[in-house]
Amino acid sequence: MAAPQLTEIDHVAIAVRDLDGAVAWYQDMFGATVAHREVVERDGVEEALLQVADSYVQLLTPVRDDSTVAKWLEKNGEGIHHVGYRVADVAATLSSFLEHGGRAIDAAPRPGSRGTTVAFLHPKGAFGTLIELVEE
Ligand code: CMX
Ligand code: CO
């Protein structure tokens, strides 16, 4: 059976040190609209989703020192942290990915922000890019 497809770009995630400052910059420079803002406790981050057509720019900042994004910012500085791809069914896409020998971070789908279901795939098996599968 053919592997389930990525249907759309859900978001491009950018790690920043100052979330309010980054949101204000996108508003001033591009008239950006904040579609959603949330502290995702499980990941130790706060996000602001800026609407770009049917997709988002996800500005991310750590809310805890032990957050994976805090560690990443320390090592890399600000920049693109991951790409979120929309899929119809995260569980089916993740199973197919694993069956094809892919390397996942999450063994099973889990809750993401704004009520989505997500699964992260490891950057080391994906050309250096952290991938988040997103089911709305
Ligand atoms: N993009 C690309 N490569 C990355 C990366 C990223 N975002 N994060 C880490 N790496 C690379 C590192 O550079 C490192 O490579 P080297 O071994 O060559 O130096 C390797 O992966 C291991 O990195 P690490 O610094 O030791 O980090 P960890 O293994 O502890 O964590 C990861 C990395 C991807 C497993 C972890 O960040 C993770 O579980 N991420 C998924 C959850 C997440 O990112 N949540 C925040 C966003 C939430 C949301 O979008 O809603
Ligand atoms: Co994300």
Side-chain angles (χ1 to χ4, degrees):
M1 212 174 72
Q5 293 187 334
L6 308 174
T7 59
E8 281 171 296
I9 307 282
D10 185 78
H11 61 274
V12 174
I14 302 173
V16 300
R17 296 192 191 280
D18 171 5
L19 189 59
D20 289 333
V23 167
W25 189 88
Y26 271 91
Q27 285 173 331
D28 292 346
M29 298 299 182
F30 304 115
T33 305
V34 178
H36 185 76
R37 192 149 167 162
E38 181 173 337
V39 174
V40 186
E41 285 295 347
R42 176 179 178 151
D43 291 280
V45 296
E46 182 169 5
E47 70 163 19
L49 292 178
L50 308 177
Q51 194 84 45
V52 181
D54 292 332
S55 304
Y56 303 102
V57 172
Q58 180 189 40
L59 299 174
L60 276 179
T61 204
V63 295
R64 292 196 304 266
D65 289 346
D66 64 348
S67 154
T68 173
V69 175
K71 183 178 176 186
W72 190 87
L73 274 171
E74 199 58 44
K75 190 172 165 186
N76 303 283
E78 296 177 309
I80 294 183
H81 182 262
H82 66 271
V83 178
Y85 295 116
R86 248 168 242 156
V87 297
D89 181 337
V90 169
T93 307
L94 181 61
S95 298
S96 167
F97 179 76
L98 293 170
E99 277 163 23
H100 285 84
R103 178 175 170 195
I105 294 169
D106 296 307
R110 65 173 178 92
S113 73
R114 74 194 145 96
T116 58
T117 302
V118 304
F120 282 87
L121 311 180
H122 206 285
K124 286 291 161 188
F127 313 100
T129 303
L130 175 59
I131 293 175
E132 178 181 2
L133 301 175
V134 183
E135 178 184 336
E136 289 191 297

